[in-house]
C-alpha cells in the first residue's frame, strides 16, 4: 500500500531530487507547525519515526553509500535551528 506522502510517489509525480524533497518536507513541518515531528528530529539517543522518514528521501542509487545518515543529520540540524 502506497500513499502520496511517500518519497517514491513524490519522485514520480514531480521529478524532484531526494535532497529537494527532504527540504520540502522539512519546511512543511515548520509551515504546518508540526512541533512533534521537529522534536523527534532533535532527539539523538534513539532513532525516531521522523529520522527514518528523513532517510526515505535518499535516492535509491545512494542508499548503499551511507547517504542516509547525512540526510538524517541534515534533518536534525534543521530541527535544532527551528527549535525556537
Amino acid at each position: 500500500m502506497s500513499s502520496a506522502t511517500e518519497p517514491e510517489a513524490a519522485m514520480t509525480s514531480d521529478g524532484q531530487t531526494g535532497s529537494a524533497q527532504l527540504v520540502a518536507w522539512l519546511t512543511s513541518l515548520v509551515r504546518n507547525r508540526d512541533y512533534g515531528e521537529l522534536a523527534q528530529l532533535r532527539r539523538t539517543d534513539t532513532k525516531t519515526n521522523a529520522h527514518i522518514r528523513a532517510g526515505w528521501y535518499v535516492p535509491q542509487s545512494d542508499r548503499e553509500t551511507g547517504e542516509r545518515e547525512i540526510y538524517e543529520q541534515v534533518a536534525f540540524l534543521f530541527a535544532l535551528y527551528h527549535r525556537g
Side-chain angles (χ1 to χ4, degrees):
M1 184 164 103
S2 179
S3 70
T5 60
E6 292 180 10
E8 290 79 14
M11 283 178 70
T12 58
S13 66
D14 62 9
Q16 286 184 335
T17 63
S19 57
Q21 290 178 15
L22 176 65
V23 169
W25 174 62
L26 291 171
T27 55
S28 75
L29 294 178
V30 173
R31 186 176 47 247
N32 297 331
R33 297 184 177 121
D34 194 346
Y35 301 125
E37 288 279 323
L38 289 167
Q40 282 186 18
L41 287 171
R42 288 191 299 267
R43 293 192 182 119
T44 58
D45 54 344
T46 61
K47 283 257 196 211
T48 63
N49 289 337
H51 287 109
I52 294 167
R53 186 167 180 189
W56 286 351
Y57 294 100
V58 177
Q60 191 71 17
S61 60
D62 294 333
R63 291 192 180 176
E64 299 298 321
T65 62
E67 293 285 321
R68 181 180 188 92
E69 184 177 331
I70 294 170
Y71 277 57
E72 291 174 3
Q73 289 178 1
V74 167
F76 166 74
L77 292 172
F78 183 90
L80 273 182
Y81 178 80
H82 289 283
R83 181 175 11 199

